[in-house]
Amino acid sequence: MPMANPMVGGAAMYPTKDIVDNAVNSKDHTTLVAAVKAAGLVDTLKSPGPFTVFAPTNEAFAALPPGTVDTLLKPENKPTLTKVLTYHVVPGRMDGPALMSAIAAGGGKAMLKTASGGTLTATMSGSKVMVTDAKGGTATVSIANVYQSNGVIHVVDKVLLPG
């Protein structure tokens, strides 16, 4: 039986709720929620899944070059926004133990196929899981194993970018 979910963005995360219903309560993920809505991905992330979501915080989005988020949220950029967001989603439920097993089985790294068709590389740095994108940017999982009714969320400190 998994332990109780960690708090995320000052809010309790309930394993009986889906990814969207939990994310909307996190004050650290308002940008991500706005982006998911703008990309039209709400219904997808409310579906049975399961999904593993590497969820960037508001700070992660704010660290992008100035104007990037505003540009991505424009209706004409929906295809690009969708690609960026689905690059943070791995089909299946890959919680911390499953990620660490995959990393060990891969000789220190696990190649994760994303919903966008790209690849993320998961590695360990001490006890932390690191996720590297196609452009070589690396995010640290700051809160792992936030279980949802349709998957699991891992909070990350950077926005991952597809190639």
Side-chain angles (χ1 to χ4, degrees):
M1 191 74 184
M3 296 185 329
N5 270 347
M7 299 280 282
V8 176
M13 297 287 115
Y14 298 99
T16 55
K17 291 186 175 184
D18 64 47
I19 290 166
V20 173
D21 288 347
N22 271 320
V24 298
N25 293 318
S26 168
K27 66 176 174 44
D28 291 343
H29 290 90
T30 56
T31 304
L32 178 61
V33 169
V36 165
K37 288 177 180 176
L41 293 172
V42 170
D43 289 343
T44 301
L45 292 176
K46 287 181 79 59
S47 73
F51 306 104
T52 299
V53 178
F54 293 97
T57 60
N58 293 344
E59 284 182 4
F61 280 103
L64 292 171
T68 302
V69 174
D70 289 339
T71 299
L72 283 172
L73 291 176
K74 290 181 178 170
E76 62 268 24
N77 294 321
K78 184 176 176 180
T80 302
L81 177 62
T82 300
K83 184 174 181 180
V84 169
L85 292 175
T86 57
Y87 189 65
H88 290 77
V89 179
V90 174
R93 183 185 299 256
M94 295 275 307
D95 64 3
L99 275 171
M100 288 187 266
S101 292
I103 292 166
K109 65 180 174 183
M111 307 308 282
L112 308 174
K113 193 74 159 167
T114 70
S116 71
T119 302
L120 294 170
T121 304
T123 57
M124 297 293 297
S125 178
S127 63
K128 294 267 187 200
V129 173
M130 311 299 285
V131 184
T132 303
D133 64 23
K135 295 186 183 271
T138 300
T140 302
V141 173
S142 57
I143 303 173
N145 302 324
V146 186
Y147 294 97
Q148 319 289 304
S149 64
N150 61 344
V152 62
I153 291 175
H154 302 291
V155 177
V156 292
D157 65 353
K158 294 215 170 24
V159 175
L160 300 160
L161 298 172

